[in-house]
Amino acid sequence: MEPENDSLEASEARRFFGHRLARIAAAWRREIDTDLRAFGLTDATWRPIYYLNFSTTAMRQTDLARSLSLEAPSLVRLLDVLEKRGYVVRETDEEDRRSKLVSITDEGRQVATLVSQVADGVTARLTAAISDQELDACGQVLDRVEQAAQAHRELASQPVPSRKASSADKGSDHV
């Protein structure tokens, strides 16, 4: 194969990497969602429970919405449903009375255990034909992509230093 073709193939592989990653993540969630429907849970209801179960303390509603990639009003309606089912509770944040803190209940933790078991089953099913070494290599690649994204977010969130006009800049029309 010619070096130019190798470069084109590598370029194509990079171009579609994110697209493939997003498709796989969506397919993985659909698999979990399909298996959990038998228990009356949908993607919308199991994901917040799953995320909250990993938190050792109550989580701000805004942080949970960000973690789930949901708009705040959508999360509020969803939390209403989960609260009525007894899976979560919301309390006013004492540090910021405008914020609500969400925590998982004991009943919610039981549901989270079920979700974890189903997710583990989906993982086993989808990765059955993949060796431990291949999974490790893939995990390392994904870790590096995640680290690059985090570094970019941190860099992008840094304030841009303002350049104060020096006396030479002020009113200097001559070259």
Side-chain angles (χ1 to χ4, degrees):
M1 202 172 254
E2 297 175 27
E4 189 175 304
N5 286 343
D6 287 346
S7 177
L8 285 174
E9 288 177 18
S11 177
E12 287 292 305
R14 287 182 186 280
R15 179 176 293 128
F16 292 110
F17 180 82
H19 177 69
R20 289 174 70 192
L21 188 61
R23 271 194 358 246
I24 291 166
W28 202 292
R29 277 180 37 196
R30 272 193 309 274
E31 288 290 315
I32 295 171
D33 192 44
T34 298
D35 289 6
L36 283 172
R37 286 192 185 274
F39 302 99
L41 296 169
T42 64
D43 185 65
T45 55
W46 68 260
R47 286 183 61 230
I49 294 167
Y50 190 72
Y51 276 87
L52 286 168
N53 193 48
F54 288 112
S55 181
T56 56
T57 60
M59 183 182 279
R60 280 203 169 111
Q61 248 178 227
T62 52
D63 294 336
L64 181 60
R66 194 174 307 110
S67 296
L68 298 169
S69 299
L70 289 175
E71 296 294 325
S74 298
L75 180 64
V76 169
R77 289 189 299 273
L78 178 56
L79 290 175
D80 288 343
V81 170
L82 295 176
E83 199 167 33
K84 284 178 187 168
R85 291 184 185 179
Y87 300 155
V88 301
V89 291
R90 287 179 284 188
E91 300 169 336
T92 301
D93 183 351
E94 293 302 322
E95 293 178 17
D96 180 357
R97 309 246 340 126
R98 297 168 298 170
S99 294
K100 294 282 187 188
L101 294 173
V102 185
S103 52
I104 191 167
T105 64
D106 289 340
E107 191 173 349
R109 288 203 189 279
Q110 291 174 4
V111 172
T113 298
L114 171 69
V115 171
S116 291
Q117 290 169 347
V118 168
D120 289 348
V122 167
T123 298
R125 183 170 70 234
L126 297 181
T127 62
I130 302 169
S131 73
D132 290 344
Q133 294 81 9
E134 289 172 312
L135 281 175
D136 185 52
C138 183
Q140 289 176 28
V141 169
L142 294 175
D143 286 345
R144 289 171 51 198
V145 170
E146 185 176 31
Q147 290 164 3
Q150 178 65 31
H152 182 263
R153 273 194 308 274
E154 289 171 3
L155 185 63
S157 68
Q158 305 235 337
V160 177
S162 64
R163 193 184 130 192
K164 294 187 178 187
S166 68
S167 57
D169 291 339
K170 293 179 184 173
S172 88
D173 294 328
H174 58 281
V175 181

